[in-house]
Amino acid sequence: MAEGNLLRLVKEGNLILLKEEVANVWDAKKRHFGRSGDTLLHHAARHGQLRILTYLVETLEMDIEVFNSDYKRPLHEAASMGHRDCVLYLLDRGATVDCLKKADWTPLMMACTRRNLEVIQDLIDHGANPLLKNKDGWSCFHIASREGDPEVIQYLLDVSPTIWDTESKIKRTPLHTAAMHGRLEVVKMLLERCRYQPDSRDKCGVTPFMDAIQHGHLGIAQLLLEKHKEGHAGTIKTLLLLGADLNAKDGKNRTALHLACSGQHAACVQILLQAGLRDSPDSTGTHARQLAKKPALLQIFDGIPVPSCPVHQ
């Protein structure tokens, strides 16, 4: 019961009653709560209770580097929830700016999961390294590209101009990430400010264009296709260039048409077919049209001859 009261009072920011409750719990400042192993400091930082945080650090003398079961520090909590006052307090008290939690996530990476530019700036101003990667090879730039705040992307590129030149362990770039999640403004910025190849492939052979098609982000797919054409103007005939890009296949021999049909994105399928992409079997012998289920998609394929498929004969 005492544990529940402590955590409730921290969450509510009730410092007066918390002091009284702490006096009745002899190991309050050392106690780890629940399976997460959070301390009172973790809870105060998570809920943005600066007065409580100050009391725990300066009166109870709790260690600001205390970690829970996932090696998460109070700074991780404050950064991930966007509590700028708590972040600044912990940093001013000497918290390690690039401390690592489980899976090698830094507070800066946690801050980039939210669109809070000021917290990101504060961490970098205090020495956070934006080029660090977690166990999956993601940097804070991958995370920011997924969240899609153009101001954050612009700031990170300004303070670290080479930050864009990174890949995850499966060779996915921030451009892949932004395209997959439909972050049109970020994709525009990445294509303008960075030297990405629009048709770069990850380990599965997927390009940002294919990511955009699969998830129904037609505007991004068109932008990537246009950028691809611009980047090679004067070297290959436009028609051949367009065909080379559209006919790219992933590790399962699927084309963009397979991905568009799988996602039931009729508009994307229409664009691909009009651009000249022909249906072909993947590694299992499945044609894209066999994945079409919605009436709008079936109508597009109506009248187009069914390709022969020896695998199914």
Side-chain angles (χ1 to χ4, degrees):
M1 188 67 176
E3 287 188 2
N5 285 339
L6 286 171
L7 300 183
R8 177 178 57 81
L9 293 172
V10 170
K11 182 178 180 179
E12 295 173 352
N14 194 329
L15 181 56
I16 295 175
L17 291 183
L18 179 66
K19 289 180 178 179
E20 295 178 3
E21 194 71 23
V22 165
N24 298 322
V25 182
W26 67 272
D27 65 342
K29 76 174 189 177
K30 296 181 179 179
R31 184 172 295 190
H32 292 257
F33 302 88
R35 295 179 61 182
S36 66
D38 289 334
T39 66
L40 294 177
L41 267 182
H42 287 89
H43 283 274
R46 180 181 306 142
H47 295 295
Q49 298 294 354
L50 180 59
R51 291 176 64 241
I52 302 288
L53 197 65
T54 302
Y55 162 72
L56 295 174
V57 173
E58 298 181 17
T59 302
L60 291 192
E61 299 182 339
M62 291 186 67
D63 182 7
I64 60 173
E65 300 292 1
V66 65
F67 54 83
N68 67 8
S69 301
D70 288 332
Y71 299 100
K72 188 185 292 185
R73 272 71 169 177
L75 184 59
H76 283 105
E77 294 285 2
S80 68
M81 300 304 292
H83 298 308
R84 188 186 185 199
D85 53 355
C86 293
V87 167
L88 288 172
Y89 175 78
L90 291 167
L91 290 172
D92 289 342
R93 298 288 298 189
T96 303
V97 70
D98 279 333
C99 53
L100 300 179
K101 81 171 190 71
K102 191 174 182 179
D104 295 338
W105 280 64
T106 66
L108 178 58
M109 293 175 192
M110 302 291 286
C112 285
T113 64
R114 291 181 176 267
R115 301 186 179 195
N116 193 322
L117 179 58
E118 290 183 332
V119 170
I120 293 169
Q121 290 173 325
D122 292 334
L123 289 164
I124 290 180
D125 286 345
H126 283 77
N129 183 353
L131 300 180
L132 293 179
K133 295 184 177 184
N134 64 20
K135 74 174 185 65
D136 295 317
W138 274 42
S139 71
C140 67
F141 199 65
H142 278 97
I143 299 164
S145 296
R146 180 189 67 190
E147 297 307 312
D149 187 335
E151 289 188 0
V152 171
I153 294 297
Q154 180 173 314
Y155 169 74
L156 291 174
L157 286 170
D158 288 343
V159 298
S160 183
T162 63
I163 196 172
W164 64 271
D165 191 11
T166 183
E167 293 179 340
S168 70
K169 288 188 175 180
I170 58 172
K171 298 184 71 64
R172 289 183 64 78
T173 67
L175 182 60
H176 279 90
T177 304
M180 176 180 178
H181 290 274
R183 308 306 187 188
L184 179 59
E185 293 306 314
V186 169
V187 169
K188 288 179 180 179
M189 187 175 296
L190 295 180
L191 291 175
E192 290 171 0
R193 295 196 55 176
C194 312
R195 296 192 300 276
Y196 285 119
Q197 294 298 321
D199 56 354
S200 59
R201 298 165 180 259
D202 65 14
K203 277 193 173 181
C204 295
V206 176
T207 67
F209 173 77
M210 295 168 77
D211 269 327
I213 287 291
Q214 183 176 20
H215 293 86
H217 306 308
L218 185 55
I220 291 177
Q222 290 175 324
L223 178 64
L224 289 166
L225 197 57
E226 290 167 6
K227 188 67 175 180
H228 183 96
K229 291 164 65 178
E230 291 170 4
H232 296 77
T235 60
I236 306 176
K237 290 182 179 181
T238 301
L239 183 59
L240 293 178
L241 174 63
L242 186 61
D245 185 67
L246 287 178
N247 285 303
K249 296 182 178 181
D250 66 10
K252 296 181 180 180
N253 213 40
R254 299 175 302 181
T255 66
L257 193 59
H258 283 89
L259 301 180
C261 287
S262 177
Q264 308 302 308
H265 301 302
C268 294
V269 169
Q270 187 75 53
I271 291 292
L272 292 171
L273 291 174
Q274 289 176 348
L277 180 58
R278 294 185 177 182
D279 200 356
S280 61
D282 64 13
S283 58
T284 68
T286 303
H287 285 78
R289 68 185 300 149
Q290 294 174 261
L291 304 174
K293 302 197 180 297
K294 288 188 175 181
L297 263 180
L298 295 172
Q299 186 176 0
I300 291 173
F301 283 102
D302 188 30
I304 299 177
V306 179
S308 60
C309 183
V311 174
H312 293 297
Q313 291 179 347

